Amino acid sequence: GSTFDRPSKSLVAGCHGVGGGNCCIETSDGLRYYTPREAGMLMSLPPTYCLPTVFSVAMRQLGNACPAELVRRFALQLLPHV
């Protein structure tokens, strides 16, 4: 799993059953899965972003997404050429 003081491992769409500790954080009690809100923050979504309420659906969508900040920066670079 990922640690609090290091960059996170990549989110993946198939969160459960994926090896390598993806979608997990190390705690004093062992590993635990990110909450959908934590995963959304890793994807640079605002805290007010509306996520699906079903864990597996939210994690699948977040695992298939590009980080919002990355998309914004690409769009800003392309905008002058449109």
Side-chain angles (χ1 to χ4, degrees):
S2 299
T3 59
F4 283 110
D5 59 347
R6 303 283 308 208
S8 174
K9 293 183 178 183
S10 296
L11 296 178
V12 292
C15 192
H16 291 288
V18 175
N22 292 1
C23 301
C24 291
I25 187 83
E26 289 182 16
T27 68
S28 58
D29 297 329
L31 291 177
R32 73 164 175 81
Y33 286 106
Y34 290 127
T35 66
R37 183 62 53 205
E38 290 169 332
M41 291 188 310
L42 290 172
M43 298 299 282
S44 66
L45 295 174
T48 56
Y49 190 83
C50 184
L51 294 168
T53 56
V54 176
F55 177 85
S56 60
V57 173
M59 294 303 282
R60 184 171 47 251
Q61 287 183 4
L62 290 164
N64 280 324
C66 292
E69 182 61 20
L70 177 66
V71 173
R72 186 186 74 79
R73 289 181 185 224
F74 273 122
L76 290 174
Q77 293 295 313
L78 293 174
L79 195 57
H81 305 286
V82 175

